[in-house]
Amino acid sequence: MDPDYLPFHDNPSKPAFSVPEGAVDAHCHVFGPADTFPYHPKRKYTPCDAPKEKLFALRDHLGFARNVIVQASCHGTDNAALLDALQYAGDRARGVAVVDPNITDEELQAMHNAGVRAVRFNFVKRLVDTTPKEVFLDIAEKIRPLGWHIVVYFEAQDLEELTPFLMQLNTLIVVDHMGRPDVSKDVEHEDFQRFVTLLQAHENIWTKVSCPERLTLNPPNYDDVVPFARTLVERFPDRVLWGTDWPHPNMKSHIPDDGKLVDVIPKIAPTPDLQQALLIDNPMRLYWQDHTR
Ligand code: 0GY
């Protein structure tokens, strides 16, 4: 692992908030173990191993029933660790893969059979080399028959430039971590309002109200992120997802306690109906229902 890499919390607290039965952690990763699933040669960071057994132990500890596991950049387009975790979890996990443009229909079908339901397009420059938009558009066409959606990861300053491309995708899109707002500017600032307006105008765009640990200016207190997430949950209750982001790659400020992250949920989704939508109905609809065309 990189010398400045912070490993995940080894003893997270039990959350005070009890998640409803059947809740889904819709953004988390597995890393390695490197002996079995080596990291990608072109990776931008080398994490601490975070194997499937640890992820599923955390799921049980926090009270979740299911996971959506997202392929992270340190494994590149080699989805072997993800597929292994999906096989181990059976119906209790779904996956978001990162695929090579040359992937065949047969390989995509095999991933679908294993539980993959989306691909991720990563635009965060510290994590990946730039991929031409045409390549992403080709992948979007390839996955269309499977009814998969597209998860996009970008930083707030890139939203304006990316918007025309997002419009071209013409499928369901999930934006990671609320588009990474700068929380030193408030909710009413035009930057965050640009994101709200995008969701307002396009019903095919969802978002994950995740990662207060990355967005906060006052770690480990996450209150400054709450108004952003709560705005999205209240405005778009049927298009939001929540996830731990375990094992929190590339954290520099602090090691998040996953129990404390779960305790943010009732602040951003204050009613049982909003919690039911955020944690169960939305992820179950997106990842466990059949969308094959
Ligand atoms: C996240 C965030 C990060 C990393 C990755 O693919 C990745 O490596 O997504 C990050 O460093 O912000 O969603 O896990």
Side-chain angles (χ1 to χ4, degrees):
M1 105 183 161
D2 293 332
D4 63 343
Y5 190 91
L6 293 181
F8 55 87
H9 202 295
D10 60 0
N11 188 22
S13 59
K14 204 77 178 160
F17 173 64
S18 300
V19 299
E21 206 178 315
V24 182
D25 172 357
H27 186 93
C28 52
H29 311 283
V30 285
F31 294 159
D35 289 354
T36 317
F37 303 110
Y39 299 113
H40 197 267
K42 289 192 178 162
R43 67 190 176 278
K44 306 284 185 195
Y45 64 92
T46 304
C48 159
D49 282 348
K52 59 183 183 288
E53 294 85 356
K54 295 266 185 201
L55 173 64
F56 298 133
L58 180 77
R59 171 197 68 197
D60 297 344
H61 174 76
L62 298 176
F64 285 84
R66 297 181 170 85
N67 298 91
V68 179
I69 308 173
V70 179
Q71 172 79 353
S73 60
C74 56
H75 277 299
T77 54
D78 178 354
N79 295 277
L82 167 67
L83 295 172
D84 172 70
L86 293 179
Q87 188 189 17
Y88 183 87
D91 197 46
R92 298 185 70 181
R94 293 287 189 259
V96 177
V98 176
V99 302
D100 189 271
N102 300 320
I103 193 157
T104 64
D105 292 344
E106 290 71 29
E107 287 167 323
L108 285 173
Q109 185 62 53
M111 284 191 185
H112 186 85
N113 297 345
V116 174
R117 294 292 180 269
V119 287
R120 190 186 203 202
F121 296 166
N122 192 336
F123 296 95
V124 178
K125 294 177 184 71
R126 74 185 153 78
L127 293 173
V128 285
D129 295 332
T130 306
T131 299
K133 304 265 184 352
E134 304 74 56
V135 170
F136 283 142
L137 291 171
D138 282 350
I139 293 172
E141 282 315 308
K142 278 193 177 177
I143 63 167
R144 197 175 296 283
L146 294 162
W148 292 7
H149 61 274
I150 295 171
V151 174
V152 289
Y153 189 23
F154 57 81
E155 309 207 284
Q157 68 269 19
D158 298 323
L159 173 60
E160 213 168 348
E161 190 265 316
L162 278 175
T163 300
F165 167 72
L166 298 180
M167 301 299 91
Q168 273 181 285
L169 290 175
N170 193 22
T171 188
L172 197 144
I173 297 168
V174 179
V175 177
D176 274 341
H177 316 330
M178 305 187 275
R180 293 198 60 126
D182 172 355
V183 304
S184 70
K185 302 169 183 166
D186 69 17
V187 166
E188 298 309 323
H189 190 279
E190 62 179 323
D191 287 359
F192 187 64
Q193 285 305 315
R194 187 177 298 125
F195 185 59
V196 173
T197 305
L198 182 77
L199 267 72
Q200 185 69 46
H202 302 283
E203 287 196 349
N204 63 320
I205 304 185
W206 293 36
T207 192
K208 291 176 196 160
V209 287
S210 46
C211 279
E213 76 282 13
R214 288 184 194 285
L215 302 172
T216 183
L217 303 172
N218 308 308
N221 181 312
Y222 305 132
D223 285 350
D224 55 351
V225 186
V226 166
F228 295 83
R230 184 167 167 162
T231 296
L232 295 170
V233 170
E234 292 184 336
R235 289 280 296 270
F236 311 106
D238 55 356
R239 289 191 265 149
V240 283
L241 302 168
W242 186 90
T244 54
D245 191 34
W246 188 89
H248 313 288
N250 305 310
M251 286 298 298
K252 301 286 180 240
S253 58
H254 69 298
I255 296 175
D257 173 343
D258 298 279
K260 300 282 182 237
L261 288 172
V262 171
D263 284 338
V264 177
I265 295 172
K267 299 183 185 181
I268 66 174
T271 68
D273 282 356
L274 290 173
Q275 292 160 11
Q276 170 80 24
L278 176 66
L279 298 171
I280 303 174
D281 297 347
N282 299 344
M284 291 305 289
R285 200 162 78 247
L286 192 55
Y287 288 96
W288 273 266
Q289 256 180 31
D290 184 19
H291 299 280
T292 318
R293 285 151 198 207

